[in-house]
């Protein structure tokens, strides 16, 4: 793998850290800003809204720029958003700064995935993409725990100071390590949006949304699941979340390698394995040892979907690879909100803290059915054969 991918991994590490660290700091932020914890929870929603809106808009706005210029600009905006967060005097201002920090998230991964794919041969595309997404998994192992520790001991603003510093380092790394990129081929907004007139692209995005919603029904309530159903102490949960992060990292690597060997079979297998793992996790939750194993396995199964789905959706529209790839991040954040909402519904209905895990297994099955449907639609439209490998559409040098 090219060393330049490390710059994308570092940027993804910073993005993953800022996205999730605020969840562990909500009580601290709420106390400092003199708001309730539920009100502070809107900070999570503000970031997610920024991702959903920014992914398509910033990707379209940067469509004529060289990819490297776009990556630098997006990470600069990310850094500014996090610096502004450290200076936010109250919750309304912080809502705006979190929204701004979320804007470049989806576009960065969309463009970054295309850049990563362009650095390697076609048979290593998914592995290259997975190297970038490795940063997200590593954020759950190191970035989020470290940020939470700093935020609770030195004040929540210190966590975002660190994230902003990672943003600065990422800008430097991209400037020095990413090769000079050709200018993007001139396209109109209408041409870029043409992919979204195809039913199989929407079905593929639906597969992404439902597939990841199955994961977030579980992850959104993993702390009460472990304490109430598994009998772990709240202190133990911190260590178990690191175990989950390790599982995510392993899954990310496995998913990238599997997708390069056989993309569609890997998608089917990942969703089927996720459904089975979640069923076993729900059954194993009452026992500490098996619950820990189930948590690790769910991390492996869940995050193996990341590079597979990213590569899969890019294959649906290779002429608009950056835009559809960025749309995956919008779908990912919609799935985050949807999974949390659905998981909360079954808990509120009195089915217990293992209910979201059962629901997650069901959603994984639904995602598998959608994947079969979209593949069948693709074959009817394109005939037999392998799906096209996404490559950036480029022409003159910068």
């Amino acid at each position: 793998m090219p060393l330049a991918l490390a710059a994308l991994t570092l940027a993804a590490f910073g993005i993953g850290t800022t996205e999730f660290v605020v969840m562990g700091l909500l009580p601290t932020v709420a106390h400092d800003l003199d708001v309730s914890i539920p009100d502070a929870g809107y900070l999570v929603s503000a970031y997610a809204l920024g991702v959903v809106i920014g992914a398509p808009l910033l990707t379209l706005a940067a469509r004529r720029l060289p990819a490297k210029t776009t990556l630098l600009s997006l990470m600069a905006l990310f850094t500014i958003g996090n610096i502004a967060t450290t200076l936010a005097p109250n919750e309304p201002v912080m809502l705006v700064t979190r929204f701004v920090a979320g804007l470049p998230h989806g576009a960065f991964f969309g463009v970054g995935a295309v850049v990563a794919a362009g650095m390697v041969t076609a048979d290593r595309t998914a592995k290259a993409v997975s190297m970038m997404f490795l940063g997200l998994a590593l954020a759950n192992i190191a970035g989020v725990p470290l940020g939470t520790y700093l935020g609770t001991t030195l004040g929540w603003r210190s966590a975002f100071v660190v994230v902003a510093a990672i943003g600065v380092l990422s800008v430097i790394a991209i400037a020095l390590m990413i090769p000079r990129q050709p200018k993007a081929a001139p396209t109109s907004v209408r041409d870029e949006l043409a992919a979204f007139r195809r039913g199989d692209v929407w079905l593929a995005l639906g597969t992404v949304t439902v597939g990841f919603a199955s994961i977030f029904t579980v992850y959104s309530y993993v702390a009460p699941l472990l304490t109430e159903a598994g009998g772990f102490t709240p202190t133990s949960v911190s260590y178990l979340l690191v175990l989950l992060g390790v599982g995510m990292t392993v899954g990310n690597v496995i998913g990238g390698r599997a997708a390069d060997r056989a993309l569609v079979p890997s998608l089917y297998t990942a969703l089927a394995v996720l459904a089975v793992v979640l069923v076993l996790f729900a059954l194993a939750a009452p026992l500490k040892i098996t619950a820990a194993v189930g948590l690790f396995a769910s991390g492996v199964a869940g995050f193996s979907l990341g590079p597979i789905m990213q590569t899969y959706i890019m294959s649906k529209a290779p002429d608009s690879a950056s835009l559809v790839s960025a749309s995956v991040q919008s779908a990912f954040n919609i799935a985050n909100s949807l999974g949390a909402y659905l998981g909360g519904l079954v808990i509120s209905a009195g089915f217990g803290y293992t209910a979201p895990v059962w629901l997650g297994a069901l959603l994984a099955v639904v995602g598998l059915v959608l994947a079969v449907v979209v593949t069948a639609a693709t074959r009817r439209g394109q005939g037999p054969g392998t799906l096209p490998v996404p490559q950036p559409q480029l022409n003159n040098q910068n």
Side-chain angles (χ1 to χ4, degrees):
M1 287 288 107
L3 182 61
L5 288 174
L8 299 178
T9 304
L10 176 62
F13 178 81
I15 291 172
T17 300
T18 202
E19 180 178 18
F20 296 115
V21 74
V22 72
M23 298 177 186
L25 295 174
L26 283 184
T28 305
V29 173
H31 180 268
D32 184 63
L33 299 181
D34 195 24
V35 297
S36 67
I37 290 179
D39 283 343
Y42 290 126
L43 296 170
V44 178
S45 301
Y47 185 91
L49 182 62
V51 177
V52 173
I53 293 175
L57 291 185
L58 293 184
T59 303
L60 287 173
R63 69 189 185 279
R64 297 180 185 275
L65 296 176
K68 182 174 180 177
T69 302
T70 300
L71 292 175
L72 288 169
S73 301
L74 292 172
M75 283 311 296
L77 178 59
F78 168 85
T79 304
I80 292 170
N82 281 282
I83 291 173
T85 296
T86 68
L87 303 174
N90 52 48
E91 189 199 24
V93 173
M94 191 172 176
L95 285 171
V96 174
T97 64
R98 289 295 292 167
F99 175 80
V100 171
L103 284 173
H105 178 131
F108 181 88
F109 282 113
V111 176
V114 175
V115 170
M119 290 184 189
V120 297
T121 56
D123 62 330
R124 304 178 79 188
T125 297
K127 186 176 180 181
V129 172
S130 75
M131 287 298 296
M132 178 179 67
F133 281 93
L134 181 63
L136 286 179
L138 292 175
N140 286 281
I141 295 177
V144 173
L146 176 61
T148 302
Y149 173 77
L150 290 175
T152 53
T153 55
L154 301 178
W156 63 267
R157 298 176 194 274
S158 65
F160 292 100
V161 169
V162 172
V163 171
I166 296 173
V168 171
L169 291 175
S170 298
V171 170
I172 295 172
I174 291 170
L176 296 178
M177 300 174 68
I178 298 295
R180 187 181 184 187
Q181 299 291 309
K183 289 183 179 179
T187 58
S188 66
V189 173
R190 184 176 181 178
D191 290 338
E192 288 287 333
L193 294 175
F196 295 95
R197 292 197 293 266
R198 293 170 44 191
D200 61 338
V201 170
W202 284 106
L203 282 172
L205 287 172
T207 302
V208 172
T209 302
V210 175
F212 278 118
S214 70
I215 300 169
F216 284 111
T217 57
V218 181
Y219 293 169
S220 298
Y221 301 97
V222 69
L225 169 67
L226 294 171
T227 55
E228 300 297 328
F232 289 98
T233 65
T235 303
S236 300
V237 171
S238 300
Y239 301 105
L240 289 168
L241 291 179
V242 174
L243 179 64
L244 174 62
V246 173
M248 292 175 176
T249 304
V250 172
N252 182 76
V253 174
I254 292 174
R257 292 180 177 178
D260 278 332
R261 292 192 180 98
L263 180 56
V264 174
S266 294
L267 177 62
Y268 292 166
T269 302
L271 287 166
V273 169
L274 178 60
V276 172
V277 165
L278 292 181
V279 168
L280 295 177
F281 186 20
L283 295 172
L287 298 176
K288 288 185 176 181
I289 295 179
T290 53
V293 173
L295 183 66
F296 174 80
S298 69
V300 175
F303 261 61
S304 69
L305 282 171
I308 294 173
M309 285 188 166
Q310 191 79 35
T311 307
Y312 183 67
I313 193 66
M314 288 165 65
S315 75
K316 297 287 94 184
D319 292 335
S320 304
S322 293
L323 183 57
V324 294
S325 181
S327 298
V328 172
Q329 296 304 311
S330 295
F332 182 89
N333 278 269
I334 292 171
N336 191 340
S337 300
L338 180 62
Y341 173 72
L342 294 176
L345 282 183
V346 293
I347 292 174
S348 299
F351 292 109
Y353 286 103
T354 59
V357 189
W358 290 106
L359 179 59
L362 177 61
L363 289 173
V365 173
V366 174
L368 177 58
V369 172
L370 282 174
V372 172
V373 171
V374 70
T375 302
T378 299
R379 287 173 177 168
R380 284 196 299 270
Q382 296 180 351
T386 58
L387 292 170
V389 175
Q391 295 294 337
Q393 303 298 303
L394 307 167
N395 58 6
N396 298 325
Q397 291 290 322
N398 182 10

